Amino acid sequence: MTSTDEGEPVVAGEAATTEVQQRVAELTARLEEARLAYYDRDESIMSDAEYDRLERELRALEEAHPQLRRPDSPTRTVGGVVGASFAPVEHLQRMLSLDNAFTAEEMAEWDARVRRELGEQSFSYLTELKIDGLAVALVYEDGELVRAATRGDGRVGEDITANVRTLASVPQRLATDDPPALVEVRGEVFYPVAEFELLNEAQAAAGKPPYANPRNTAAGSLRQKDPAVTASRKLAMYVHGIGARQGVTVRSQSEIYALLAGWGLPTSPHTEVLSDLDAVNRYIKRWGEHRHDVEHEIDGVVVKVDEFAAQGQLGSTSRAPRWAIAFKYPPEEVTTKLLHIDVNVGRTGRVTPYAVMEPVTVAGSTVELATLHNAFEVKRKDVRIGDTVVLRKAGDVIPEVLGPVLALRTDDVREFVMPTECPSCGSPVGPVREGDKDWRCPNAQHCPAQLRERVFALAGRGAFDIEALGWEASIALVDPEHGRPADATEPRQTPVLTSEAGLFDLTVDDLADVRVWRRRKRGGVEQPPALEPFFYTAGNAKNPPAPRATTVTLLEELEKAKSQPLWRVLVALSIRHVGPTAARALAQAFGSVEAIRAASTDELAGTDGVGRIIAESVQEWFTVDWHREIVERWAAAGVRMADEVDTATEKTLEGLTLVVTGSLEGFTRDEIKEAILSRGGKASGSVSKKTDYVVVGENAGSKEAKARELGRPVLTEEQFVVLLEQGPAGLG
């Protein structure tokens, strides 16, 4: 037996070889071990993606060799076992799991089977977000909550009634004068993302390690022996169906949702009843793009046939209903092996440890490097070289190692030791002040790594936005000997740029002789590093070396960058603590680099959005000779150092704080912020009692709910436009 790159087995014939039997036994053991850890110890010894991959491989082997399929195979059973800490509870009706789909093709196959089996029968799909929480069943008798239990193995769970009674979102009595004699309500208990972040902030403040993820933390909180501990955690619950019932007559899943909400039970605001697969796919796509705008963690979308008559016709397998499926998004948390820990020197000299790992696919991309922040964090998380670690990458967020899987730690792991010399220039590194968690290289002017990072950063979207000046081009300009082999005999090159001060003086002739060290493969074999021209073509007898198209684009974009607004120039200067928000505030308050340089600490600190730490950092930056040279040479090259006075735009939002959530049809994210700031307002990312208005677009998520909870005014996009043009008076 062999495997594909995705881990899918390739099996020839139906005879079960010894190798196949051993693989089935191995897969079964690994899946059962993972289940036991996940459901019964609230630990994750493998990622959901790895579990899904192994289960799919086992399922394929069992389909090819039915004689190897055990009745209690992980492909045919649900959940874990009941531990000794809680009394066992037999569910009134078995709690099933869900089959998964990972691609649009798999969703199409499921939809085709449903339509084939239902024939001409009319039906709809109820779609909802798949909450990454803990499945729980609530039993109400005559309207009173009498029992709550975990799913367990689907037949028997754990009695956690006392703990569930501490959840504010779960009513002790149904809000109806005519309650059913009996109803078993199913749902998910979860840790709201905002509350989980606060919990980990408290952990960090207390010097304790952070909790790994909201799901495991919710499960651990709900299974505390002392209900007071559960009560101290801000858990929530959404219900999504019923099992056993007496005195309840409904015809569809959506009717159940309306009934549950009418009884005062918490239901998700994100459910929709849709007519066909095209609409379902649009729902899946939309929430895939907005999965971080939801109040809880999600890992996919659940699609159910809405009508009960159709559900009954489709039936169930031993572990899952055939009328429902879970579409799983690419995982954002995976496990992988930590091979080594190296350090990177950033644009302000900060020396940051980062993890070098076995490549793994997460959030749709292959990752082998991830930040570890600083030596203190490495120690606090207890991450060691050789560990199996949990890696998280959410959307475009930089990948981060969350922590080790302690259950898989071996005796040969090694602790990380922070280097005492800069790996780029050899200068001694350490904390600038006593108690600093960050270590820094003090050789800011001449450290090749710091200059390389500064040039790369100033070209970023939040600064000059020079797309052609990427990472490799930055290396070519300031550190062309990067990657030079130890045995190289070629003369060392002098960098084209020894300071970012000369960036806007570059000419095409300056770039003609720049070469970089590159590795190439020939016949599938990687060759030793060799020098190659970077900005020019290699040339030959017929065609002499010439500037590459990307080089021409780079020079054109450098010329365009000279007219960028002042705030982008301030970001590009790499002043410590000055990001886009502070830069915008300084540019709006002072209007020019010269005015900012001349301002006192108190004047700078008094600017809304700046404060004393940033003010002191700005003043300190301008005391350095080579910093001032950057400003002078950029100005001499034509870079704009002052904003034109904007008399056309009225300050209709002066003193107001706005939060915009969801997608607006007429604005990009950058345009929204620019519209608010140019009119004197403040664009905030979180809703509080100090928020003046919350603008709500499509897929607004939890911020809209928070605004309504706090009684803050909620505006549509149309009202937002009126507010921009006329100020609060225009809203009536």
Side-chain angles (χ1 to χ4, degrees), residues 134 329 377 404 499 561 696:
L134 183 71
Y329 290 127
E377 282 294 294
S499 164
V696 173

Side-chain angles (χ1 to χ4, degrees), residues 4 60 155 260 281 347 353 378 387 399 464 502 545 562 613 626 647:
T4 66
R155 296 183 183 277
L260 293 172
N281 285 335
R347 64 191 179 107
V378 176
D387 268 332
F464 279 125
K562 294 178 182 179
I613 291 177
W626 66 272
T647 57

Side-chain angles (χ1 to χ4, degrees), residues 20-31:
V20 171
Q21 294 173 0
Q22 290 175 346
R23 183 58 176 165
V24 168
E26 177 188 349
L27 291 169
T28 300
R30 290 182 64 185
L31 291 170

Side-chain angles (χ1 to χ4, degrees), residues 241-308:
I242 60 176
R245 66 259 201 184
Q246 296 175 12
V248 178
T249 303
V250 283
R251 293 172 298 178
S252 67
Q253 192 77 27
S254 53
E255 284 186 20
I256 282 183
Y257 278 37
L259 189 63
L260 293 172
W263 287 341
L265 287 158
T267 57
S268 172
H270 310 301
T271 59
E272 293 184 28
V273 177
L274 303 172
S275 60
D276 54 32
L277 183 62
D278 287 342
V280 169
N281 285 335
R282 288 193 293 272
Y283 178 96
I284 289 171
K285 182 177 184 294
R286 184 171 78 246
W287 283 110
E289 295 169 350
H290 292 274
R291 62 190 294 185
H292 301 295
D293 297 333
V294 187
E295 61 274 18
H296 52 73
E297 292 277 297
I298 67 172
D299 59 0
V301 166
V302 176
V303 183
K304 304 173 180 176
V305 173
D306 191 33
E307 292 77 10
F308 285 159

Side-chain angles (χ1 to χ4, degrees), residues 35 64 79 81 108 161 195 204 380 414 436 505 510 623 644 697:
R35 276 187 173 190
V81 298
T161 308
E195 296 293 346
R380 185 173 70 87
R414 295 180 290 117
D436 281 358
D505 296 324
D510 294 332
T623 64
E644 298 176 4

Side-chain angles (χ1 to χ4, degrees), residues 344-352 440 447 449-451 453-454:
N344 177 65
V345 183
R347 64 191 179 107
T348 61
R350 180 184 177 191
V351 182
T352 304
R440 295 183 182 275
C447 177
Q450 292 188 56
L451 176 56
E453 294 281 352
R454 290 199 302 271

Side-chain angles (χ1 to χ4, degrees), residues 483-489 492:
R484 179 188 179 96
D487 59 353
T489 59
R492 287 186 172 272

